[in-house]
Amino acid sequence: MKERIKPKRISWVRIADGVTEEELSSALAWAAVKAVAMERLLLIVIDENELPKVQAQKRSRTDASTVQKWVERNILVVEEREPARPNKPGTAKMPVLSEEQAKAYNAVHAGLVSRKPVLLHGVTGSGKTEIYTHLIAEVLSAGQQVLFLVPEIALTTQLIERLRRFFGDVVHVYHSRFSDRERTETWMTVLHPKGGQLVVGARSAVLLPLPKLGLIVVDEEHESSFKQNDPAPRYHARDVALWMAAKQHIPLVLGSATPAVQTQWLGDQG
C-alpha cells in the first residue's frame, strides 16, 4: 500500500497572541539600540501582520536565529502551515455606520467638499476608523491616493490589518526605519501610481511624493510623536499636512479624542 504523500508545510511568522502595542513599541525601542537586525525583522512582521518565515528573513537580511530570538522573547511565533490559496485581498464588506457615525460622516464629507481642514473629534472607541474607511473608499474609487498619518507604526498593527481587509494590496506602509532599498521601492511605487493607493505611515510619510493625492488623514493629531526635533529636517507632520492641504487644495481630516489646543481653535474658527 502506497504511503500517502503529505503536502509540504511552510513556516509562517507572526506577532504572538496577547502581545500589546505597548510591548511591541518597547521591543522596537530595545532592538533599535541593542540589535538592529532584530529591529528590521520585527518591523517587517509588524507591517505585514504575518508572512512566510523565509520571506521575513530575506527582506530583513537576517536568518532563522534572529527569528528564534524574538520567539524566545514571546514577541513572535512560528507556525507550520499547509500551502493554501490565499484569500482575495480587499474582499471585506465596508463597515455599516451607526446613526451617529453617519451624521459625523456627512458633516465631515460636507466640510471636505469645501477643501477646508475638518476636525473629527470623537472619544476612543466612537468609530472614527469606520468614518475614515468610508472617506478613503470614495477617494480610492476615483483613482486617487490617500495619505493616512499615524503617530507610530508599531502601535497601529490592527489598523493596518483592518484597512488591508477592506482595500487589499493598494495599502502601502512607510516609515523612517525602512532600509534604503525599501524606501526607494515605496517612493517609486507611489510616484507612479497605477490606480488608487492608500499610504499608511508615521510622520516621515508626509514627505513622500504623491502626485494623485486626494485626501490626507491625520489620526491622533495631538500626539507629540508627529514632531521631529532631531535629526534634521525638523518639522511637525500635522503642520506639514495642513500646509500641503492649503497649498494643493486637498481635503484634510484631523482626528482625535483630545485635540491639540491649536487644532481645536482652528476647528472653532471654521
Side-chain angles (χ1 to χ4, degrees), residues 149-170:
L149 295 176
V150 294
E152 291 185 54
I153 286 294
L155 302 180
T156 55
T157 51
Q158 292 182 344
L159 169 65
I160 294 171
E161 182 182 359
R162 289 181 66 187
L163 292 173
R164 281 185 169 145
R165 286 204 302 267
F166 294 127
F167 305 117
D169 57 7
V170 304

Side-chain angles (χ1 to χ4, degrees), residues 112 132 135-136 139 144-148 212-217 250-253:
L112 294 179
Y132 294 151
L135 294 170
I136 290 168
V139 176
Q144 294 179 300
Q145 295 168 304
V146 178
L147 176 60
F148 196 128
K212 293 185 177 180
L213 189 57
L215 173 67
I216 303 174
V217 177
I250 297 170
L252 168 65
V253 180

Side-chain angles (χ1 to χ4, degrees), residues 89-250:
T91 56
K93 293 182 179 179
M94 293 293 291
V96 178
L97 299 180
S98 66
E99 184 177 347
E100 289 300 317
Q101 289 172 335
K103 289 180 180 178
Y105 169 81
N106 291 332
V108 170
H109 191 274
L112 294 179
V113 171
S114 64
R115 294 294 194 272
K116 291 183 178 180
V118 176
L119 172 61
L120 180 56
H121 186 184
V123 298
T124 302
S126 60
K128 293 191 294 294
T129 302
E130 284 76 8
I131 296 173
Y132 294 151
T133 302
H134 279 265
L135 294 170
I136 290 168
E138 184 174 342
V139 176
L140 294 180
S141 65
Q144 294 179 300
Q145 295 168 304
V146 178
L147 176 60
F148 196 128
L149 295 176
V150 294
E152 291 185 54
I153 286 294
L155 302 180
T156 55
T157 51
Q158 292 182 344
L159 169 65
I160 294 171
E161 182 182 359
R162 289 181 66 187
L163 292 173
R164 281 185 169 145
R165 286 204 302 267
F166 294 127
F167 305 117
D169 57 7
V170 304
V171 179
H172 302 273
V173 178
Y174 182 85
H175 50 76
S176 60
R177 290 176 177 172
F178 269 3
S179 66
D180 289 343
R181 179 179 178 180
E182 289 171 320
R183 291 187 193 186
T184 301
E185 289 176 350
T186 303
W187 273 64
M188 296 305 294
T189 299
V190 301
L191 185 58
H192 304 287
K194 298 178 181 179
Q197 290 179 336
L198 169 57
V199 180
V200 183
R203 60 177 180 249
S204 60
V206 78
L207 305 177
L208 285 170
L210 301 168
K212 293 185 177 180
L213 189 57
L215 173 67
I216 303 174
V217 177
V218 184
D219 192 30
E220 305 298 337
E221 61 80 28
H222 62 278
E223 287 287 347
S224 60
S225 55
F226 279 123
K227 185 175 183 179
Q228 175 161 311
N229 293 311
D230 192 55
R234 296 172 177 83
Y235 63 95
H236 196 301
R238 180 198 61 219
D239 295 344
V240 174
L242 282 164
W243 179 84
M244 288 171 57
K247 197 75 172 177
Q248 302 178 43
H249 305 289
I250 297 170

Side-chain angles (χ1 to χ4, degrees), residues 14 16 26 37 53 58 63 70 75 77 79 81 113-114 134 143 174 190 219 227 241 262 265:
R14 64 173 177 84
S26 297
K53 182 180 174 183
K58 183 177 180 180
D63 54 28
W70 281 125
I75 296 296
V77 293
E79 299 175 335
R81 304 179 186 176
V113 171
S114 64
H134 279 265
Y174 182 85
V190 301
D219 192 30
K227 185 175 183 179
Q262 60 269 43
W265 183 84

